[in-house]
Amino acid sequence: MQLRSTSRGTRESTHTEVDVVAIGTREATWGADPLEFEGGFRSLEYDPKASFRSSLPTDGAARWNVTSAKTFDSTHSVNSSLSIGYSNVDWDFLKSIYGWAAVQYQAWARGELIVGGNETQAVILHTDAILEFWVNNTHYFGGDFYSYRNAPPVLHLDPGRHRIDLRLARDVRAFGGILEPTIDVVVGVEKVSGSLDLAKPGILMSDVIDGYLATPQGSISLRNSGTRDIEITGIHPANVSTNFSTVFPLLRLSTGDQMLVARDAEGIMSAESMHDTADKSNVRIAAGQTRSVAFNITLSPKNASSIAYNVTYEIVGTGKTSSLEVTQTLNHVSTYHPHKITYLHPGGTVSYAMLRPPAKNATCKHKQNKLPVLLALHGAGLEADDPMVTEALDPVSDLCAWVVFATGVTPWSGDDWHNWGFADVEAAIDAIPSWISSSRWLGPGVDTNRWIVSGHSNGGQGTWYTTTHRPDKVLAAIPVSGYSSIQKYVPYELWQPADPRRTSVISAALNSYRHEMLMDNIRGIPIQVQHGEIDDNVPAYHSRLLALQLQFAGTNASYNEVPNQNHWWDDIMTTPELIEFYHKQVSNMEKLPRELEEFDIVVGDPGDMGSKGGVKVTQLEDPGNYGRVHVRGRTVKTSNVLSIEFGPPFWKDTVVIDGQTLDFTAATNKERLSVHLSRNVWIVQDTTTLEESHGRHGRQLGSMTAILRTHGPVTIHHPDSANASHLALQVSRNLQQYFRANSMLLAGNAKTRSDSTTGNVIRLAIGAAASSTTADFPIKVSSSGVSIRDYRGREQSYSEARGAAWLQPLDSERLELVLWGADDEGLGQAARLIPMLTGVGQPDFVVLSEKAKWKGLDGVLALGFFDSEWQVTPSSFVS
Ligand SMILES: *[C@@H]1O[C@H](CO)[C@@H](O)[C@H](O)[C@H]1NC(C)=O
Ligand SMILES: *[C@@H]1O[C@H](CO)[C@@H](O)[C@H](O)[C@H]1NC(C)=O
Ligand SMILES: *[C@@H]1O[C@H](CO)[C@@H](O)[C@H](O)[C@H]1NC(C)=O
Ligand SMILES: *[C@@H]1O[C@H](CO)[C@@H](O)[C@H](O)[C@H]1NC(C)=O
Ligand SMILES: *[C@@H]1O[C@H](CO)[C@@H](O)[C@H](O)[C@H]1NC(C)=O
Ligand SMILES: *[C@@H]1O[C@H](CO)[C@@H](O)[C@H](O)[C@H]1NC(C)=O
Ligand SMILES: *[C@@H]1O[C@H](CO)[C@@H](O)[C@H](O)[C@H]1NC(C)=O
Ligand SMILES: *[C@@H]1O[C@H](CO)[C@@H](O)[C@H](O)[C@H]1NC(C)=O
Ligand SMILES: *[C@@H]1O[C@H](CO)[C@@H](O)[C@H](O)[C@H]1NC(C)=O
Ligand SMILES: *[C@@H]1O[C@H](CO)[C@@H](O)[C@H](O)[C@H]1NC(C)=O
């Protein structure tokens, strides 16, 4: 494949060379590239006679092949799309044995980027559906697996030929299971200004309802495509008097100041003064970095059709200032229609949801002042403002509920509605009261602790997640065509073989998302499950299985299987059964939390688990195993649970835990009572004691994905070297790409600056330079490798360790994720482990050997979990 990036616009006939090798579901993060055993694809030259061992094709041999890419080019961009298929693999036979796992495979492709002219070009490189690639000898991991195009890398290419090697990994969930087993990817090259650019057109802002902005929070997504850092100095309303006849995107590369201007509106734009919320010290955008900048918008006049803002900035170290103009067409809608509201995600970035307030003519039978929230969670690949999402509940326009079509920040809901995505759902719900108080709303109020949850596909899975993790808030649930867990969706067969003790750790890291194991948590909640009988995307098996598990858990789920229907059809969310259920549940007057005589709580990760029946597990003894609480009346029995909080209104007086009677009357804090297992004896504890102790608690709990529970942007610390800076930038881009999460890059030992922030920290370290934040931490690194103290107190040393990643505590419930490398290359290996895709299963700590590059998980030297004292758990693999 050749990507011609010149302004001449010539179209080139193209080719590429590939091979085929097996890979498992979400395995690529661990390495598992057999060609690495032979020095890596980058070290190979095209040779039609060469063959490579592979478990998939005829003869067990993969070979080079030549394929044409389709290339489309214009003055400013080139797209090259590549479709790869194999005739020497019997996919159908493999599928009959291994199922969808068989049609997940990996391949490498090579092409060239050719830059004409005689000037260095600043370009961005889009890598749709690609996780890993090399440009010449520079490695990029993270790519753009879901084709978001949020944060592409910036390349400054000299005239000439640049080799580009693409690692292609087929993923059934991302590519579709029923389709031909081809890999279809797009590489896009786009010319950029070489200075500050808009990374997304326009302004992320709310709709205008009856002449007023629904919410004030706005955000502009910016990319520094230059070679020096940029400091944003202000965002001010701009006066634009030009008439634009062109529709967006109009890209103008002005010759003078090299500023790329994007405009998306016609007519005269105006806006009143605003407040620059951008904390100055935060808004530095490193060369090559993408981040969003938040600010408050005020609207004037009421009938404006668009607004314009002027972002002023300084190029650090040059004293040069410049500005970038951003405009946004305003969307005027009625208060009662689904409309965009904005709010701050706890990660510090502005996000949005679509809100449908209760209809004007809604006749709520009972005299409720506060109506419940009806959550509608979208499927994978959809934006919440897509009419397919917002119009799905039109047939029930008069429901007595506040309908929230949540986004989860991205079309894949961040991490499938888990840590990052679910925090967004909760932030959206919490935005309703401020919407009510700032709008001129006179209708019914909202009870933000009373949810009816619904969703389709990945949103159906999100519905299961919400119901199993927030049982005390869920009034009723409607999971439609949802999958039960990623492992059940596309089996983890065909990973490189690995010691079961290692795979069990990966599996345990996903405990909180294995809904089929968590059905006990749903007991007492009305559930209407629905699935199309002939769904060939998410098989009806998932819903049938969960309905059965619910029966085992003592819950009567109503299961509606719709004959002859596939994954999606018109009115799927408003079948007669669902309509009846919505109406019944919006007027369900049950008190929450429910007081159940007997129930169980199953906990995979206390960090993302709410209460049930007022009982909240706050710590597990070994977070590598499920914890369980059985409650019958006032008698509580626990397994693998270390601390529990008992909340009002049911828990006062006395409780018998594991045969021991505890007196709650004497406790100082009557609101929440915390009990803790200390040397096999349960003791009542002041909840504040736990929070003040150095023990692992709250947002620190969970596996590596806990780093996503940051409050505020993530700080990325890195050594002051070219390679470490490249990796830090890559980490920053990955956070932006997959979660639209902002981060700050800090080189060298600028420790004080990150200590004054509220967010989590990712620290890159090489050689002996990594030190833990607490003395006596079980993981130590030195120039001779990594050593780990296991749960028996035994030190294991790994001199062959190349890279490692582990969580360690910071104050205020924060976390630091250390990425350590024996050298630059080892650090690159460790940096792959940053959470991006769900289902990878990174636990709390991982130590990698060189062999992981080709053997994947089995090349991991040690991995596992930390307990509440930050000590290695028995469930860990350390040997
Ligand atoms: C390349 O793809 C992007 C995204 O689909 C599109 O916006 C752009 O116009 C395409 N460019 C060309 C030259 O086809
Ligand atoms: C080589 O590539 C072509 C084009 O993609 C494909 O049709 C063919 O099956 C491939 N050959 C083998 C042996 O897989
Ligand atoms: C660069 O190319 C342009 C036209 O393509 C030519 O006019 C100019 O002289 C060249 N400059 C150099 C330094 O070669
Ligand atoms: C890639 O290598 C070629 C040939 O050595 C060189 O001309 C080109 O500048 C390199 N590109 C990059 C991005 O390093
Ligand atoms: C944007 O701000 C710059 C610097 O203050 C100013 O020179 C420029 O005129 C402004 N542009 C608009 C359209 O307001
Ligand atoms: C924009 O227009 C307003 C009112 O018309 C005026 O007060 C303000 O000074 C103008 N701002 C700029 C940057 O021209
Ligand atoms: C922006 O608006 C929000 C919500 O009204 C408010 O809490 C915040 O203080 C405002 N920020 C600034 C800098 O005015
Ligand atoms: C806004 O309203 C004013 C006064 O009612 C009117 O003169 C103006 O044309 C309107 N502008 C737009 C863009 O509709
Ligand atoms: C409320 O109005 C909507 C549309 O305006 C209509 O579809 C619905 O039937 C009405 N409901 C009631 C209870 O009148
Ligand atoms: C569950 O279903 C059984 C059998 O249909 C019925 O007897 C029972 O009352 C139901 N329980 C609940 C809580 O709805």
Side-chain angles (χ1 to χ4, degrees):
M1 165 183 45
Q2 304 185 349
L3 293 161
R4 180 159 280 262
S5 173
T6 71
S7 43
R8 284 184 244 132
T10 359
R11 198 164 287 189
E12 197 86 348
S13 84
T14 58
H15 71 277
T16 186
E17 302 104 12
V18 296
D19 75 308
V20 57
V21 176
I23 194 163
T25 301
R26 303 287 157 93
E27 189 187 9
T29 297
W30 298 100
D33 174 8
L35 285 184
E36 285 294 324
F37 188 69
E38 310 190 37
F41 181 72
R42 63 200 168 278
S43 66
L44 304 174
E45 290 301 330
Y46 175 62
D47 174 1
K49 287 197 220 68
S51 78
F52 310 92
R53 289 253 176 263
S54 164
S55 53
L56 294 179
T58 315
D59 265 357
R63 294 191 170 78
W64 291 87
N65 191 5
V66 177
T67 305
S68 293
K70 287 200 184 72
T71 298
F72 306 92
D73 53 13
S74 66
T75 325
H76 286 293
S77 71
V78 186
N79 290 333
S80 196
S81 67
L82 189 61
S83 180
I84 291 168
Y86 294 88
S87 56
N88 58 344
V89 180
D90 189 345
W91 297 114
D92 288 338
F93 179 66
L94 286 172
K95 219 154 71 163
S96 73
I97 295 161
Y98 302 107
W100 277 346
V103 289
Q104 306 199 119
Y105 60 89
Q106 56 181 319
W108 276 95
R110 176 168 298 161
E112 278 183 318
L113 283 161
I114 304 169
V115 178
N118 54 13
E119 277 170 18
T120 299
Q121 302 240 11
V123 300
I124 48 173
L125 185 66
H126 294 294
T127 52
D128 298 358
I130 295 164
L131 197 57
E132 183 167 11
F133 56 95
W134 292 75
V135 178
N136 271 8
N137 297 314
T138 308
H139 180 233
Y140 292 83
F141 185 78
D144 189 5
F145 204 57
Y146 297 132
S147 309
Y148 288 144
R149 298 198 164 197
N150 282 342
V154 177
L155 305 175
H156 299 273
L157 299 175
D158 291 333
R161 289 167 178 269
H162 311 269
R163 192 162 92 172
I164 175 160
D165 288 346
L166 309 172
R167 185 184 184 194
L168 311 171
R170 195 167 191 284
D171 181 274
V172 166
R173 282 197 59 210
F175 290 36
I178 45 208
L179 308 171
E180 281 297 302
T182 58
I183 295 182
D184 299 286
V185 298
V186 175
V187 174
V189 178
E190 206 179 305
K191 217 154 124 177
V192 289
S193 71
S195 183
L196 192 69
D197 292 325
L198 279 181
K200 290 276 171 187
I203 300 171
L204 173 61
M205 61 181 290
S206 79
D207 287 338
V208 183
I209 47 169
D210 302 333
Y212 298 92
L213 266 185
T215 49
Q217 294 84 3
S219 152
I220 300 177
S221 185
L222 297 164
R223 177 184 53 243
N224 179 353
S225 58
T227 51
R228 286 171 175 277
D229 289 4
I230 281 174
E231 211 51 81
I232 305 299
T233 52
I235 301 179
H236 304 284
N239 295 343
V240 183
S241 53
T242 335
N243 267 316
F244 301 104
S245 49
T246 328
V247 287
F248 186 82
L250 168 76
L251 300 173
R252 180 169 61 84
L253 195 57
S254 70
T255 43
D257 56 5
Q258 287 290 295
M259 189 179 81
L260 190 68
V261 178
R263 287 171 175 157
D264 66 346
E266 66 288 328
I268 295 161
M269 291 156 250
S270 163
E272 234 175 31
S273 68
M274 47 73 64
H275 311 281
D276 183 4
T277 58
D279 170 4
K280 234 176 163 183
S281 64
N282 281 351
V283 195
R284 174 184 278 242
I285 309 182
Q289 194 185 13
T290 299
R291 61 160 298 167
S292 59
V293 183
F295 62 106
N296 280 350
I297 300 174
T298 359
L299 191 63
S300 170
K302 281 170 75 174
N303 62 356
S305 62
S306 63
I307 59 165
Y309 276 87
N310 193 6
V311 180
T312 53
Y313 63 94
E314 186 182 322
I315 301 172
V316 175
T318 64
K320 214 179 134 207
T321 60
S322 194
S323 65
L324 175 67
E325 205 185 291
V326 193
T327 67
Q328 177 63 49
T329 311
L330 301 176
N331 193 26
H332 290 262
V333 290
S334 144
T335 307
Y336 293 99
H337 278 96
H339 59 263
K340 193 170 276 182
I341 60 164
T342 53
Y343 48 85
L344 273 186
H345 183 282
T349 48
V350 173
S351 179
Y352 83 93
M354 302 301 283
L355 177 69
R356 191 183 88 184
K360 207 174 197 165
N361 64 354
T363 45
C364 308
K365 287 196 190 82
H366 44 82
K367 287 277 160 282
Q368 267 174 301
N369 334 324
K370 293 191 164 186
L371 301 184
V373 174
L374 171 56
L375 283 173
L377 309 180
H378 64 79
L382 284 173
E383 277 291 346
D385 62 0
D386 191 313
M388 199 169 149
V389 176
T390 55
E391 289 171 7
L393 293 176
D394 279 1
V396 283
S397 61
D398 51 1
L399 282 179
C400 290
W402 290 82
V403 184
V404 174
F405 302 94
T407 70
V409 190
T410 71
W412 283 76
S413 16
D415 44 1
D416 296 339
W417 304 109
H418 298 164
N419 282 309
W420 185 258
F422 196 71
D424 187 62
V425 174
E426 295 191 306
I429 294 170
D430 290 344
I432 303 175
S434 45
W435 180 97
I436 290 177
S437 59
S438 66
S439 70
R440 283 134 201 87
W441 179 252
L442 296 170
V446 63
D447 185 344
T448 53
N449 289 318
R450 224 174 150 77
W451 309 344
I452 298 167
V453 203
S454 71
H456 173 258
S457 192
N458 199 20
Q461 180 274 139
T463 302
W464 289 116
Y465 177 83
T466 307
T467 314
T468 49
H469 291 72
R470 293 290 183 278
D472 273 351
K473 291 188 172 179
V474 176
L475 187 61
I478 306 114
V480 176
S481 313
Y483 62 92
S484 55
S485 63
I486 183 167
Q487 301 96 315
K488 278 260 177 281
Y489 193 175
V490 186
Y492 281 36
E493 222 357 290
L494 302 187
W495 277 46
Q496 286 292 320
D499 178 343
R501 287 189 57 204
R502 289 181 172 94
T503 48
S504 77
V505 173
I506 301 292
S507 184
L510 301 172
N511 276 353
S512 196
Y513 318 121
R514 197 183 284 102
H515 304 319
E516 59 271 25
M517 290 299 293
L518 305 176
M519 290 295 108
D520 279 336
N521 297 347
I522 295 186
R523 188 179 183 138
I525 304 177
I527 303 273
Q528 173 67 58
V529 187
Q530 181 179 285
H531 220 116
E533 179 196 6
I534 55 165
D535 192 332
D536 59 6
N537 185 329
V538 177
Y541 164 75
H542 291 268
S543 288
R544 296 171 188 159
L545 175 74
L546 293 182
L548 174 65
Q549 300 306 311
L550 280 173
Q551 187 195 36
F552 295 165
T555 300
N556 275 356
S558 185
Y559 174 54
N560 178 40
E561 189 163 300
V562 186
N564 295 315
Q565 291 291 6
N566 205 318
H567 192 53
W568 175 265
W569 66 92
D570 286 345
D571 301 331
I572 183 173
M573 299 307 290
T574 49
T575 57
E577 291 79 3
L578 295 199
I579 289 181
E580 195 198 328
F581 192 76
Y582 294 128
H583 281 291
K584 186 171 167 197
Q585 296 306 329
V586 293
S587 51
N588 178 346
M589 297 303 286
E590 254 186 297
K591 266 186 88 170
L592 293 187
R594 291 179 175 83
E595 189 165 13
L596 300 169
E597 174 54 24
E598 183 173 7
F599 60 94
D600 280 271
I601 303 173
V602 186
V603 181
D605 168 7
D608 65 14
M609 184 66 198
S611 63
K612 181 171 181 68
V615 180
K616 183 176 179 342
V617 172
T618 50
Q619 283 174 326
L620 297 178
E621 284 191 273
D622 186 337
N625 299 317
Y626 282 109
R628 182 178 279 274
V629 174
H630 177 80
V631 179
R632 182 180 200 138
R634 317 297 296 167
T635 307
V636 177
K637 222 178 147 309
T638 73
S639 155
N640 190 38
V641 169
L642 191 64
S643 27
I644 309 176
E645 246 174 52
F646 292 89
F650 325 123
W651 299 95
K652 34 190 186 250
D653 311 328
T654 57
V655 172
V656 180
I657 305 183
D658 295 333
Q660 196 191 324
T661 304
L662 287 186
D663 185 4
F664 280 6
T665 50
T668 49
N669 185 343
K670 290 265 159 49
E671 278 298 293
R672 290 183 299 158
L673 284 155
S674 183
V675 300
H676 186 79
L677 190 62
S678 179
R679 296 174 199 281
N680 294 321
V681 177
W682 284 101
I683 51 166
V684 179
Q685 212 180 21
D686 208 314
T687 43
T688 49
T689 324
L690 182 64
E691 275 148 29
E692 280 161 12
S693 77
H694 293 294
R696 188 179 186 188
H697 67 282
R699 292 184 286 120
Q700 295 175 329
L701 297 163
S703 54
M704 221 174 270
T705 53
I707 198 75
L708 296 174
R709 295 203 206 104
T710 183
H711 281 181
V714 171
T715 303
I716 304 168
H717 267 282
H718 61 90
D720 203 356
S721 71
N723 183 68
S725 303
H726 169 79
L727 282 173
L729 182 59
Q730 175 175 293
V731 169
S732 165
R733 281 192 306 96
N734 286 338
L735 292 173
Q736 185 65 228
Q737 184 81 273
Y738 290 94
F739 307 108
R740 300 195 75 164
N742 279 338
S743 57
M744 297 174 277
L745 293 162
L746 279 186
N749 289 324
K751 195 169 166 60
T752 46
R753 279 179 61 188
S754 78
D755 285 352
S756 62
T757 67
T758 58
N760 287 339
V761 174
I762 296 178
R763 186 178 297 275
L764 278 58
I766 290 178
S771 65
S772 60
T773 48
T774 54
D776 197 36
F777 199 74
I779 298 191
K780 289 194 166 52
V781 295
S782 67
S783 48
S784 59
V786 175
S787 74
I788 301 184
R789 191 179 59 243
D790 74 10
Y791 74 101
R792 293 163 300 193
R794 219 153 67 182
E795 294 275 343
Q796 297 285 347
S797 294
Y798 302 100
S799 58
E800 69 274 46
R802 306 294 302 144
W806 70 86
L807 293 173
Q808 55 188 30
L810 292 177
D811 57 9
S812 316
E813 238 175 276
R814 293 184 307 146
L815 282 173
E816 177 165 284
L817 172 60
V818 181
L819 300 175
W820 171 86
D823 51 24
D824 283 347
E825 213 180 309
L827 184 58
Q829 248 183 298
R832 304 172 75 94
L833 294 168
I834 297 276
M836 291 186 293
L837 308 177
T838 53
V840 172
Q842 300 94 328
D844 293 339
F845 69 88
V846 176
V847 182
L848 298 159
S849 76
E850 181 86 21
K851 286 181 183 162
K853 288 180 177 174
W854 56 92
K855 294 181 81 169
L857 184 56
D858 211 46
V860 170
L861 296 166
L863 77 171
F865 304 94
F866 296 123
D867 65 14
S868 62
E869 299 299 320
W870 289 99
Q871 299 304 312
V872 170
T873 65
S875 60
S876 302
F877 175 80
V878 181
S879 71

